[in-house]
Structure formats: C-alpha cells, structure tokens
Amino acid sequence: MAESAILFDASRCTACKGCQIACKQWNQLPSPMSNDDYTFSGSFESPLENDGDTWLHIGFREELGGPNGIAWAFSRVSCQHCTDAACVSACPSSACQYTESGAVIIDPEVCIGCKYCVAACPFGVPKYNERETISRKCWMCQDRTGEGQSPACVKTCPAGALNFGARPDMIAAAHTRLDAIKATFPEAIVYGENELGGLHVIQVLPYGAEAHGMPVDPQVPLLRQLSDFLKPAAAVGVAATLAALAVSFVRSRSYDRDPDELHYDPESREVVSIAAESKKGDE
Amino acid sequence: MTKYIKRHDSMKRLWHWSNIISCVFLAVTGAFLFIPGLGEVLGFDTLRAGQVIHRVFAGVFIGMTVISFILRPSNLIHSMQHIFAPWDEDDKKFMKVFFPYLFNPKKYHMPKQHFVKSGQRVSDFFMYLIIFFISITGIILWAGDAVPTWLFALALFGHDLCFFGFSLLIIIHIYLGGGIFEPYHRIPGLMLGKGYVRESDALYHWGHWAEEELASGENVIEVEPGEKVPFAK
C-alpha cells in the first residue's frame, strides 16, 4: 500500500471546528455535556488541549495586528504520524504500531496504559484516557481509509483546508499552495515533509511553524534518546558483570580457607590459627 | 565449643527477606517493560498482571522499609553511621586489594575490617541512593497524569537508570553475600539464617569488629558440639 497523508492547509482553515466534531462523532468519543464543564479561557480555542477522548482540536493563536485588527493562526492539533515515531520505540507492549499507509496507531486491545508514549512524543499527542485506562490518539480513521474513504475530519471540512491522499501528492499539493500564498504570507512554509523522517500530516502554515504551535525542528526528546541508549548499554553492563564474576568464581573454586580455623585469644589479644599452630607442632 | 557473635538482629533479617521477595517480583515484572520486545512476546494479560504485581511489591518494598525504620530506627542509623564513617588505612587497603583478591583469593591477604567492609560501605551508599531514587521515581510514575509530562518522562528515565544500577549491585551482592564466591561461602547464613557468625568467619571477614566483640563478650555466645545455634533476636 502506498503511503498516505493528510494535508492541512492552515491558510484555508476557518477554524469552524467541523473536523473536531467529526472526529468525536466518527470515533464515538464522549464530550462533557453539562454546563460549565469547560472554563472559558478567553480564547475561541476549546478545549485548550487534547485528552484521551479528544484526539483532534483546532488551536488558535490570536494576536493583535493584521488587516482587521487581529491576526489568526490556526493549527490542527493531532497526531503527526511520524515516520520515526518515538511512541513506537517507547511502547513496551507494541501497542503503538506503524501501519502500511504510514499512520501510527495505538492498538487499544494491546495498550497497557503505561503512558510511555505520552512521555515520548515530541508533539505531546498521545493522552492517557482515564475512562479506558489506556493511551489514545488519532489513528487516521483506519476503518475508513482501509475502505478507500478519507478520514472523518477530512471528509467533513467545509473550507477545503483538509485533504487526504498519497503522501507524494499531498506534498506536491502543499508546495503548489505555498507558491500561491507566498506573496501574501512571506513566512509561509510546508511542514512535515522531512521532520522526524517525514510526517504523514503535511501542513501549509502561513505564519511559520512556531506561530501555528508546531516545533520548528522537532526531535525525539533527549530522555527518550538516552533511554534507547541505556537499554543496550544495560545489557552489555550486566553481561560484562556476569562474565567477570564467572571468571572470579572459576578462579576462586580451588581456594579453601577452612583449614585455617581462626580464634581470638583474649589474654594475648591476638588471633591464632589452629591449623597453622598444629602444623608448627608437627614440625 | 564454638563461639558465635550476633551480627544481624531479627528485624534486619526480616527486612532483608522481605526485600529479597519484593525485589525478585519487582525485577521480573520491571524487566517485562524494560527489555525491548519482551512485552510483545509475553502478551497483554501477562503485562497487565505484571503491572499490578509490580505495584503491589513496590508497596511492600517501600512499606517494609518504613515499618522496619519505625520499629527499629537504630538499624538504619547505624547503617548510615558506618557508610559515612572515616576510612582508616585498612579500609583503603581493602579497596585497593579487593579486585585482585576477587580474581585470585589465594594470593591476596585482606586487611582487617570493621562491622561493614569498606567495599560494602561503597556498595551500601549506592544501594541506599538507588533505593531512594527508584522509590521516588516509581511513585511519580504511579501518579501518572497527576504530574506534568516532563516530570513523568524524567522519572521514567530515572527509574530505568536506577533499575540498571540496582541490577549490577544486586548481581554483585548475590555473588558475594550469597556465598557463590568461595571465600564468602559461609556468609549467607548470617542474613538469611539465624543472624550469628562463627568466630573464625567473623575474624576472617571483619577482624577489627570481631576482636572488639570477642573482647567485650557482650554479643558472644558459646555453642557446644551438637547444640543448635539460636536465632538472634
């Protein structure tokens, strides 16, 4: 199967949050339903971050400026489906997996809820779901894409900001769009082409990566890299210690100190060896 | 008639036994997650069961340490005093000769030692340090979502690092303390058994301490041939 990707064109996004709702609906993810479940933060961004039941939300950067008095930079906050996914290398139960299409999924049947993926992700994507006691995140609607459909978020987008298809096609479309908007948005970039081995969410970001909430040069977190180094180092360390002790064991087997029975003489305050003394007597 | 010196009281031995059992379960279930690929082989149910067992024995491990400290604080205090006591010439010489001795015990003569050998003082220092950090990081990992992700990630790496360090120390500890190393072959009976050490063994391993004890006679018992050594209280 050819690698697929989602294309998010932030210059077309109107932040209607249709994708957010479609994700919830298709994946049957519950939302808080009573009044005041969300505290108003002063932003249109709601919720302010993903959780175990919210795998996609639209992020808002709202700053004074721009032609109408406010500059908007919207972001699609969800899994980037990395080619070199830190969550996959961190997962001890192999619940985090690559699919043939390039999507990275968490198999809920296998996840043990250790949260290692939560700590490993450079984008902070996987979230622990208290209700299910496992980690959850976008799975690029494998049940839809497997049937030739586009993911629910893409299908619902009324502004045409989301697209889905073969990854090379999405990259080409992103560059075409970049060329078209570069004059209006000089800081515009294509994001996801090469980051972390290439992402499977390609983005056109008119105000640059940082403005849209994306790390400029995403890296697998240092602690995760150290952890990946630690494990083989630990294996070598343990093997070397066992080998050294095996040598010590073999070399010490012939040593027998039992014939030297030591006693303390309180009178002379000296330690005497019975075997040694007997030998002296024999001589 | 054979003289024996009391070395480890019942609380210390109980704590040590509890630690042995806890550490076996903690190490095995920890390895499920630590060793790449092992989790996939073991499968979901084993991993989930391992998580529960790991937490139960983590509770036992930390709980027994706290309880034994509350019931007999002198054990930990004495242990700390020994770890941080100044080193004399014999202590320094012991450390210099220890590694050659480990590989050729016939050739090297070890100097007299106090209640805790200088090598074990170094080992104990790191053991206590690792126990402290592996417990703290374990509690943070247990807290999960209640702590910031960066702290969780830091605790995860710290827990793994401590596990590695602890594994090395424990392997060496089992080799020496478990009496696999020939000159130490009668050592296991002290902590795992009745808590008394034979005069000859005490003089061989901890010369300074044994001489002090034998001179004072306070913790010394004499056992007739055929008579059983009692359990140290």
Side-chain angles (χ1 to χ4, degrees), chain B residues 63-227:
Chain B
M64 277 301 291
T65 301
V66 173
I67 289 168
S68 66
F69 176 69
I70 291 168
L71 294 178
R72 209 164 290 181
S74 57
N75 279 345
L76 184 63
I77 292 166
H78 287 162
S79 191
M80 290 297 153
Q81 285 170 342
H82 288 299
I83 288 171
F84 294 108
W87 285 37
D88 61 20
E89 285 306 312
D90 280 342
D91 290 328
K92 290 173 192 167
K93 191 181 168 199
F94 181 95
M95 279 308 288
K96 272 185 196 165
V97 186
F98 180 71
F99 287 101
Y101 167 75
L102 198 61
F103 293 100
N104 197 352
K106 278 184 227 173
K107 188 178 170 186
Y108 294 93
H109 180 71
M110 301 305 282
K112 289 179 182 176
Q113 289 290 280
H114 297 279
F115 184 72
V116 184
K117 293 175 184 179
S118 53
Q120 193 177 348
R121 282 156 64 180
V122 174
S123 168
D124 283 354
F125 171 77
F126 284 107
M127 191 79 91
Y128 279 114
L129 198 68
I130 287 173
I131 286 173
F132 176 76
F133 279 109
I134 207 166
S135 302
I136 294 291
T137 52
I139 290 166
I140 293 169
L141 293 178
W142 201 338
D145 266 11
V147 298
T149 304
W150 66 265
L151 182 59
F152 184 90
L154 190 63
L156 180 57
F157 178 71
H159 207 64
D160 282 355
L161 191 63
C162 288
F163 181 47
F164 169 46
F166 198 67
S167 301
L168 292 186
L169 283 178
I170 285 292
I171 288 169
I172 297 166
H173 182 70
I174 291 170
Y175 180 68
L176 297 175
I180 300 168
F181 182 49
E182 172 57 29
Y184 285 38
H185 76 279
R186 269 206 288 264
I187 294 274
L190 311 184
M191 192 61 100
L192 306 179
K194 296 178 175 178
Y196 279 104
V197 58
R198 235 162 47 102
E199 177 189 11
S200 180
D201 292 330
L203 287 165
Y204 178 81
H205 288 290
W206 306 279
H208 289 308
W209 169 75
E211 286 175 20
E212 284 166 22
E213 290 289 345
L214 290 163
S216 81
E218 196 181 333
N219 293 310
V220 180
I221 58 167
E222 292 184 348
V223 178
E224 298 288 348
E227 195 182 345

Side-chain angles (χ1 to χ4, degrees), chain A residues 92-94 110-112 116 133 231 234 241 244 248-249 251-252 254-255 257-258 261-264 271, chain B residues 34 39-40 44 47-48 51 102-103 106 152 156 164 168 175 182-183 186 198-201 204 211 214:
Chain A
S93 67
S94 302
V110 182
C111 179
I112 57 168
Y116 288 12
T133 67
K231 294 187 178 187
T241 305
S248 164
F249 174 70
R251 298 203 59 171
S252 69
S254 57
Y255 175 70
R257 67 178 185 82
D258 279 346
E261 192 69 19
L262 303 177
H263 287 282
Y264 177 72
V271 176
Chain B
F34 185 83
E40 191 177 2
F44 174 80
L47 286 184
R48 272 290 198 196
Q51 281 183 307
L102 198 61
F103 293 100
K106 278 184 227 173
F152 184 90
L156 180 57
F164 169 46
L168 292 186
Y175 180 68
E182 172 57 29
R186 269 206 288 264
R198 235 162 47 102
E199 177 189 11
S200 180
D201 292 330
Y204 178 81
E211 286 175 20
L214 290 163

